[in-house]
Amino acid sequence: MSEPAAPRPGKRPGKRPGQQQGERRGSARERLLAAAARRFYADGVSATGIDAITAEAGVAKMSLYNNFSSKADLVMAYLDARHEEWLGLYRRRLEEAADARGGVLAVFDAYADHAAFAYERGFRGCGLLNAAAELPAGDEGRAVVRRHKEEVESLLAGHVERLLPGRPEEARALAEHLAFLLEGAMARAGLEGAGTRLEHARTMAADLMDRL
């Protein structure tokens, strides 16, 4: 397994997905979501039963059904939470961006920040794509993941359009290229258990923009 790349200045210390300050003192719903985030990411959606989640959350099984109608409902809440988690990482990085080029790199940095979390069983790639791979065709959860990926590409497109004003077709093509670069790097990083490929992808993206 390759070693993670050294953090760039400004990188925040990692934490476990689903970890909240004083999570044991949170509401039952918060504790269930935090436990589900850890177990789904570490063990997979299909392999994680309700009993494992309620035991880790320290709540009775009835508490789960008081907050979620089913495991499928909990999975949907997990996917929504992962999306919001990533948006939070992106927005924090965007605050540091000075221009449209920095905005594109903020997307790549948010993915690298995701990879840098201190996961219980190591980094396993994109939690949303991992979950989608376990869900059957037509499942609503897959649509949630697709919308997330479309939003990421849309964010890239918005920044690229500012780099290429008046050239909408070229901007869309470059945004798609960057999205493919990002997702490919994320897949390889997940297999290798480290963010090195994401660091390389960020450098490639910066080089592409410098050639515009």
Side-chain angles (χ1 to χ4, degrees):
M1 180 183 298
S2 56
E3 292 296 323
R8 294 183 301 280
K11 179 157 284 190
R12 287 85 180 166
K15 64 177 180 178
R16 291 176 291 118
Q19 181 183 18
Q20 302 292 333
Q21 185 69 28
E23 63 186 25
R24 283 287 178 184
R25 296 190 296 273
S27 69
R29 181 182 176 86
E30 291 168 343
R31 288 156 63 185
L32 286 162
L33 271 174
R38 291 190 294 273
R39 297 273 57 83
F40 287 159
Y41 190 81
D43 303 327
V45 171
S46 298
T48 300
I50 294 299
D51 289 343
I53 294 170
T54 54
E56 180 152 338
V59 303
K61 186 180 292 188
M62 186 56 65
S63 292
L64 188 144
Y65 292 111
N66 286 338
N67 287 278
F68 303 97
S69 61
S70 61
K71 180 182 174 182
D73 188 28
L74 177 59
V75 170
M76 291 294 292
Y78 162 70
L79 295 176
D80 287 338
R82 294 295 304 215
H83 174 64
E84 291 301 321
E85 177 185 62
W86 184 85
L87 284 177
L89 293 173
Y90 164 70
R91 288 164 181 155
R92 284 193 289 275
R93 284 298 188 172
L94 189 60
E95 290 175 358
E96 303 167 1
D99 51 23
R101 180 181 182 277
V104 169
L105 296 180
V107 177
F108 282 78
D109 286 337
Y111 271 62
D113 288 344
H114 168 52
F117 282 156
Y119 294 102
E120 179 180 324
R121 297 185 182 174
F123 176 60
R124 299 182 59 244
C126 175
L128 288 167
L129 280 182
N130 290 349
E134 295 190 59
L135 300 174
D139 190 278
E140 188 179 356
R142 291 177 64 88
V144 170
V145 177
R146 178 176 176 175
R147 287 195 296 270
H148 166 77
K149 296 303 181 181
E150 289 172 345
E151 183 168 349
V152 172
E153 186 170 338
S154 178
L155 291 170
L156 286 168
H159 296 306
V160 172
E161 285 168 6
R162 290 169 54 202
L163 289 170
L164 297 172
R167 297 154 65 185
E169 291 186 7
E170 289 180 56
R172 284 194 296 272
L174 179 55
E176 184 178 44
H177 185 110
L178 291 168
F180 289 167
L181 173 62
L182 183 59
E183 293 301 331
M186 192 66 162
R188 288 293 299 272
L191 287 172
E192 295 168 8
T196 307
R197 296 287 181 172
L198 291 165
E199 300 289 340
H200 294 172
R202 184 188 193 276
T203 299
M204 292 176 189
D207 288 345
L208 279 171
M209 290 184 289
D210 289 342
R211 295 173 190 170
L212 296 178

